[in-house]
Amino acid sequence: QELNLVDWTPFKMGRLAGASAVMMAHLQVPALDSSNTPSSLSEVIIQDYLRKQLKFNGLIISDALNMKAVSDRYGKVEVAVKAYQAGNDILLYPESVKGVIDAIYQKVQLGEISMEVVNEKCFRILAAKAHVNNHTKQTEKFTEREMDVIHSSIYEKALTVLKNENDAIPLASHKGEVALISLGKNSGAFVSRMNDYLEFTHISGEDVTSVQNQLNNHSKSFEIVVFNVHASSILPKNNYSYPKDWMNLMRELKGKYQLIINLFGNPYVIQTKEMFDGVDAVVIAFEQSQYGEDRAAQLVAGGFSSVGKLPVSLFDAYSVGDGVITPKASRLKFIYPEELGVSVEKLAEIDKIVENGITQKAYPGCQVVAAKDGKVFYRKAFGKLTYEDAPEVNNETVYDLASITKVVSSTTALMSLEDNGKMSLSNNLGQHLPELTGETPFGKLVLKDVMAHQAGLSPWIPFYTKTLVNGKPNPELYSNTFSDSFALKVAPELYLKTDYEDEMYRQILATTLKLGKNYKYSDVGYYFTKEIIEKSTEQSLDDYVHSSFYLPMGLQSMRYNPLNFYGKENIAPTERDNYFRHQLVQGYVHDMGAAMTNGVGGHAGVFSTATDLAAFMQLFLNKGVYGGYRYLSEKVINDYTSCQFCPRNRRGAGFDKPVRNLEGGPTCNLVSLSSFGHTGFTGTMAWADPDHGVNYVFLSNRVYPSADNWKLVKMGIRTDIQKVIYEALKDVP
């Protein structure tokens, strides 16, 4: 039983992994061969157990035959002949090579060893030589990156989920505060990757006492705990090198929280199923590795579904082949492009396009993210926050999304309201806002027309100009300090009168509506949608989308008024405003109208990284599901992302669409007509293509230092990048 459970496991796993050779030790195992013959000389052990029971068909090599214990007992020549007859293919270190050859030859002549056996042994040796020769040539070609790809793929397939009650995986961040506990030494890869998915509190320590103290003294009340236990070869060889008392800590955590356990070490520490009673999910990662940590984080978050099965039995707890398949992936997965079969050389064309844009000063820096079927295969940051001596852009740099706000805020909020029966695109403004539109023609505007930009509204109203005196903020309307009367923060030390939004609506209602339902892009309709959302939800627009989408989806950067959540050090500045606010705009919305509504507009005001924006676009491609939770119905997504008035107006409801002949417009000519997205004035773009499974995001601050810089648009940089992405994916299944 012990041999089956412990000693033979490396041979079983090795055979499954393609191991090609085994060495036989001079070890007596009476449980297998009652004659007390050493394993290296035992036909029973080699033929009956290794060949037949363990199903090993590779090369068998004897232990050194010049060892005195065996050579003295059996004789210098006889011991080698006995090893040959037992089944060894290679005889290691016989003391008399010529004597052994002569003795074996004589055995063949006498018919005691058949030529069939000799040929089998020779064939295995020749095959082994060929394998070594070919393998040496192959490994010489592998670059460090290629080995990274191979390792990541291997670890992903190996990860085995033994338990997943109530779909604890994917981790449901919408259910409350998350703590990640790292016990023992680790590479930090799990923590780093989990940062791409959600907000959590990290508690780490090499001993249980340290972790317990941190957990007990923490001010947050956690609902979910991810407990990573890292084994280490540095630790004493007890309990399979897992940190001392880790099971005691696990028992403390059970029942208090939804608990997910990741074991980065030997699976034989699991001896009964009962040890995990009260644990919601258990993942076996088999050993400590940065690749295993990275992919384990993605598995737990829901970036992919587990396929791993146990290669061994774990006492009476689990058997070979056990393993739970977790729910279908619904968050982004981060992979190497080679895993999709995408050419890295082709993707390098994106780098050239981007870097040329920086050289031509179309923008000081940018982020680009591209995903196929939810798998992010390209994510890079370029340039600096400004053209001056500024920090470099990284994947955590936050950008002003400008009009993409229409998609990720007000349009999404309206879709949710429609799902809940609180509104319909066929309704008019008067049905929702009679107190605002009154008897004006605006009350008759149908929401579907407003959202598709054919309601006759003015394209843009420069509200801020009426608040200036000699080009500077009117002191009667603005204050340098906050008060109840001046509560709308436009910029640092610049507050607008609290009731000025009422004046803005008066200005809107005083404009003349254009006759006929002709397409004309307009921000103005989104002032009304904001009012509808706030009235229906009894929350401010920013609070509603934050609590209903950004926070539960784990989007740490996507925010209105980001300075309320994090510092400006990693926020890309937009314009050096010399006409309204007269300062560098950084962390405050660039759009003047949104700035005058306390930074929260239906048409502008949301900030984000490209990664979080890609996650939001994936919500639409997933037909309303993200992280295992449904936020929107498939029907409402199909309704809003479809062309509303084709062929005369290409727009969706809140979403932009490709030009119908695919010539010009916001996209390259390789997208499908079912694709949708939006661009932004500050130099941004987010586009999703359900037919091709493509998710593309480009973020920049092309308006720095001046919004008059239109090189990004004139050079066609965003669409050129999009075209390269589609060309790179052309041959991907």
Side-chain angles (χ1 to χ4, degrees):
Q1 185 181 22
E2 183 182 335
L3 285 166
N4 271 313
L5 290 175
V6 180
D7 299 275
W8 281 351
T9 295
F11 293 99
K12 292 177 182 178
M13 295 178 72
R15 180 178 59 78
L16 291 172
S20 58
V22 165
M23 178 174 281
M24 301 302 299
H26 297 318
L27 182 70
Q28 293 176 348
V29 187
L32 301 180
D33 188 340
S34 59
S35 68
N36 287 336
T37 302
S39 302
S40 55
L41 309 180
S42 171
E43 188 173 344
V44 173
I45 293 176
I46 294 175
Q47 299 294 344
D48 294 347
Y49 286 95
L50 183 57
R51 288 290 189 208
K52 293 178 182 177
Q53 187 169 327
L54 295 178
K55 297 182 175 61
F56 182 75
N57 296 317
L59 197 65
I60 299 178
I61 304 167
S62 78
D63 205 342
L65 296 169
N66 60 356
M67 290 184 179
K68 296 300 179 184
V70 290
S71 64
D72 287 352
R73 177 179 176 184
Y74 294 98
K76 295 178 180 179
V77 171
E78 290 78 4
V79 70
V81 175
K82 190 172 180 64
Y84 194 78
Q85 288 181 298
N88 291 286
D89 301 306
I90 290 180
L91 307 180
L92 191 65
Y93 284 118
E95 289 192 68
S96 175
V97 175
K98 185 178 186 304
V100 173
I101 292 174
D102 290 342
I104 291 175
Y105 179 79
Q106 189 175 5
K107 293 277 187 183
V108 172
Q109 292 295 311
L110 294 172
E112 294 179 25
I113 297 176
S114 71
M115 279 304 299
E116 183 181 3
V117 168
V118 174
N119 286 333
E120 284 179 3
K121 293 176 185 294
C122 287
F123 178 80
R124 276 193 285 267
I125 292 167
L126 292 171
K129 287 184 175 182
H131 171 77
V132 170
N133 186 47
N134 292 334
H135 184 68
T136 301
K137 290 179 180 177
Q138 290 172 1
T139 53
E140 285 173 355
K141 295 177 184 176
F142 287 150
T143 64
E144 184 178 346
R145 179 183 173 86
E146 286 169 336
M147 292 307 297
D148 288 342
V149 175
I150 291 167
H151 286 143
S152 295
S153 178
I154 288 171
Y155 276 97
E156 176 180 321
K157 290 179 174 64
L159 291 169
T160 304
V161 179
L162 295 183
K163 186 176 184 181
N164 189 31
E165 293 188 354
N166 303 314
D167 287 341
I169 298 174
L171 196 154
S173 57
H174 64 279
K175 290 186 176 179
E177 292 282 353
V178 177
L180 168 57
I181 297 175
S182 300
L183 178 62
K185 291 202 172 197
N186 63 89
S187 71
F190 192 103
V191 177
S192 177
R193 180 59 72 195
M194 194 59 78
N195 271 317
D196 286 324
Y197 288 110
L198 49 92
E199 187 172 354
F200 59 88
T201 298
H202 186 214
I203 295 171
S204 65
E206 293 188 30
D207 61 84
V208 166
T209 302
S210 171
V211 168
Q212 284 175 320
N213 289 338
Q214 292 177 65
L215 188 62
N216 294 336
N217 294 330
H218 210 282
S219 59
K220 284 187 178 179
S221 178
F222 300 112
E223 284 76 28
I224 302 170
V225 170
V226 179
F227 182 27
N228 291 347
V229 190
H230 300 270
S232 171
S233 59
I234 300 171
L235 293 170
K237 296 296 182 182
N238 53 22
N239 197 23
Y240 297 94
S241 295
Y242 284 93
K244 184 182 178 183
D245 295 331
W246 74 270
M247 289 189 193
N248 290 337
L249 178 55
M250 179 180 70
R251 293 185 192 100
E252 275 191 40
L253 298 172
K254 290 193 299 186
K256 290 184 181 178
Y257 315 98
Q258 184 183 63
L259 184 59
I260 299 172
I261 302 279
N262 296 301
L263 293 177
F264 294 94
N266 194 319
Y268 282 113
V269 75
I270 302 170
Q271 299 187 11
T272 67
K273 280 189 177 181
E274 288 70 28
M275 69 183 285
F276 292 129
D277 285 349
V279 176
D280 296 276
V282 180
V283 180
I284 304 299
F286 296 102
E287 66 182 31
Q288 177 68 317
S289 159
Q290 64 178 18
Y291 307 101
E293 285 186 29
D294 178 276
R295 292 300 161 106
Q298 298 198 51
L299 169 63
V300 169
F304 61 89
S305 179
S306 65
V307 296
K309 301 292 182 182
L310 275 180
V312 295
S313 292
L314 303 178
F315 302 96
D316 295 327
Y318 297 96
S319 302
V320 171
D322 282 354
V324 177
I325 296 176
T326 53
K328 180 182 177 183
S330 58
R331 282 193 176 103
L332 293 175
K333 180 184 180 184
F334 299 87
I335 64 169
Y336 293 95
E338 293 93 329
E339 293 179 74
L340 273 181
V342 174
S343 166
V344 176
E345 289 75 18
K346 181 65 179 179
L347 293 178
E349 294 179 20
I350 297 176
D351 299 34
K352 292 179 181 177
I353 294 169
V354 169
E355 287 161 0
N356 182 54
I358 294 173
T359 301
Q360 298 298 321
K361 293 197 171 183
Y363 42 82
C366 68
Q367 294 171 338
V368 183
V369 170
K372 162 74 172 169
D373 299 328
K375 302 175 182 69
V376 176
F377 62 89
Y378 186 96
R379 180 172 72 150
K380 282 192 179 181
F382 300 85
K384 297 182 178 181
L385 298 186
T386 69
Y387 295 109
E388 295 81 25
D389 185 18
E392 292 185 349
V393 177
N394 55 48
N395 290 326
E396 286 72 49
T397 300
V398 175
Y399 284 90
D400 182 340
L401 300 185
S403 284
I404 295 178
T405 298
K406 295 180 175 72
V407 166
V408 300
S409 177
S410 44
T411 298
T412 298
L414 290 177
M415 293 162 81
S416 181
L417 292 179
E418 185 146 350
D419 268 339
N420 293 312
K422 294 185 177 181
M423 63 137 308
S424 168
L425 284 175
S426 60
N427 292 350
N428 58 45
L429 294 183
Q431 288 174 265
H432 291 280
L433 304 171
E435 71 286 354
L436 179 61
T437 59
E439 299 298 319
T440 69
F442 287 83
K444 297 179 181 178
L445 297 182
V446 177
L447 271 165
K448 188 175 182 179
D449 291 327
V450 172
M451 299 291 286
H453 300 277
Q454 63 170 42
L457 294 164
S458 297
W460 181 62
I461 299 174
F463 299 106
Y464 76 97
T465 58
K466 293 185 180 297
T467 69
L468 304 179
V469 176
N470 298 322
K472 296 290 180 69
N474 185 343
E476 293 183 5
L477 298 177
Y478 292 93
S479 171
N480 292 330
T481 57
F482 173 86
S483 67
D484 289 342
S485 300
F486 294 89
L488 303 178
K489 193 171 187 178
V490 175
E493 299 181 1
L494 189 62
Y495 297 86
L496 180 62
K497 286 191 70 174
T498 306
D499 60 357
Y500 196 80
E501 279 192 68
D502 296 337
E503 171 59 26
M504 294 169 71
Y505 281 104
R506 280 192 287 272
Q507 291 182 42
I508 292 172
L509 296 171
T511 60
T512 302
L513 293 172
K514 293 179 175 59
L515 298 176
K517 294 189 176 183
N518 298 314
Y519 167 61
K520 188 67 176 178
Y521 184 79
S522 172
D523 285 342
V524 175
Y526 286 84
Y527 287 86
F528 292 108
T529 60
K530 176 187 173 184
E531 289 294 313
I532 292 172
I533 295 161
E534 294 186 338
K535 181 179 178 182
S536 298
T537 64
E538 297 182 347
Q539 287 181 271
S540 63
L541 175 59
D542 56 329
D543 283 347
Y544 176 70
V545 292
H546 181 253
S547 61
S548 300
F549 295 95
Y550 308 158
L551 182 63
M553 287 179 68
L555 309 181
Q556 300 173 69
S557 70
M558 190 171 283
R559 300 286 189 270
Y560 279 100
N561 290 316
L563 295 177
N564 293 341
F565 298 90
Y566 43 80
K568 70 177 182 180
E569 304 80 30
N570 211 26
I571 301 176
T574 50
E575 194 171 13
R576 289 195 177 278
D577 181 343
N578 57 9
Y579 51 85
F580 172 31
R581 288 162 279 194
H582 297 276
Q583 57 184 280
L584 175 65
V585 179
Q586 184 176 15
Y588 292 84
V589 60
H590 177 265
D591 182 89
M592 292 73 79
M596 295 170 67
T597 56
N598 211 32
V600 182
H603 63 293
V606 175
F607 288 68
S608 179
T609 61
T611 302
D612 275 357
L613 180 53
F616 205 96
M617 298 304 289
Q618 196 63 41
L619 168 68
F620 301 129
L621 288 172
N622 290 350
K623 299 300 183 183
V625 175
Y626 197 79
Y629 181 76
R630 178 166 291 283
Y631 292 86
L632 299 167
S633 71
E634 183 173 347
K635 181 182 184 303
V636 79
I637 290 175
N638 290 337
D639 288 347
Y640 275 65
T641 60
S642 298
C643 181
Q644 304 295 299
F645 299 101
C646 281
R648 59 185 177 82
N649 177 355
R650 73 172 192 261
R651 307 291 293 217
F655 293 90
D656 200 357
K657 300 279 290 178
V659 173
R660 302 307 292 175
N661 63 7
L662 296 178
E663 295 299 326
T667 70
C668 73
N669 60 4
L670 298 179
V671 303
S672 73
L673 291 178
S674 67
S675 68
F676 54 86
H678 219 286
T679 57
F681 183 83
T682 51
T684 59
M685 180 176 184
W687 209 267
D689 190 335
D691 283 6
H692 297 296
V694 177
N695 183 347
Y696 162 53
V697 173
F698 176 94
L699 299 183
S700 79
N701 53 337
R702 69 100 195 157
V703 291
Y704 181 88
S706 170
D708 294 331
N709 177 14
W710 290 99
K711 288 182 181 178
L712 174 71
V713 177
K714 292 176 181 176
M715 293 171 68
I717 289 170
R718 291 174 291 189
T719 51
D720 285 350
I721 293 171
Q722 188 180 45
K723 187 173 185 180
V724 172
I725 290 168
Y726 276 79
E727 289 172 346
L729 291 169
K730 181 178 62 175
D731 298 323
V732 174

